[in-house]
Amino acid sequence: NSQIENDVMRMRPMDGAVIAAGGELTLKPGAMHVMLSDLPGPLIEGGLLKLKLHFEKAGPIEVAAMIEKRSVTPSSPSPHSGH
């Protein structure tokens, strides 16, 4: 959840997202995404990052996310600038 305040994009934490049984949710920059903090080391492009997602009914599920190069250019500033 995000909104623009004083020309700065501000992210707001969400309690969760509803995913229908058999459905899917795509996480991507500029849309719904997760913000990672306290990483144990640097993210290496082409590597995998193991994540544990917690679901209300299914419980915790481990997934691997491909680490991709940031696609932010000076003409499209990061939505995280300012925080």
Side-chain angles (χ1 to χ4, degrees), residues 22-69:
E24 63 181 49
L25 173 67
T26 301
L27 302 173
K28 60 184 178 179
M32 187 173 290
H33 62 279
V34 294
M35 189 175 295
L36 305 173
S37 61
D38 299 324
L39 295 171
L43 298 175
I44 309 293
E45 182 180 352
L48 291 176
L49 179 65
K50 293 181 182 178
L51 301 169
K52 186 182 289 188
L53 305 177
H54 296 265
F55 294 89
E56 184 177 340
K57 294 181 182 174
I61 296 177
E62 291 188 12
V63 299
M66 175 67 72
I67 300 170
E68 299 177 351
K69 184 177 182 178

Side-chain angles (χ1 to χ4, degrees), residues 1 3-6 8 12-13 16 18-19 30 35 37 44 46 48 52 55-56 58 61-63 65 75 77 79 81:
N1 189 10
Q3 61 189 121
I4 297 177
E5 294 176 7
N6 299 322
V8 176
R12 301 284 184 246
V18 176
I19 305 171
M35 189 175 295
S37 61
I44 309 293
L48 291 176
K52 186 182 289 188
F55 294 89
E56 184 177 340
I61 296 177
E62 291 188 12
V63 299
S75 61
S81 59

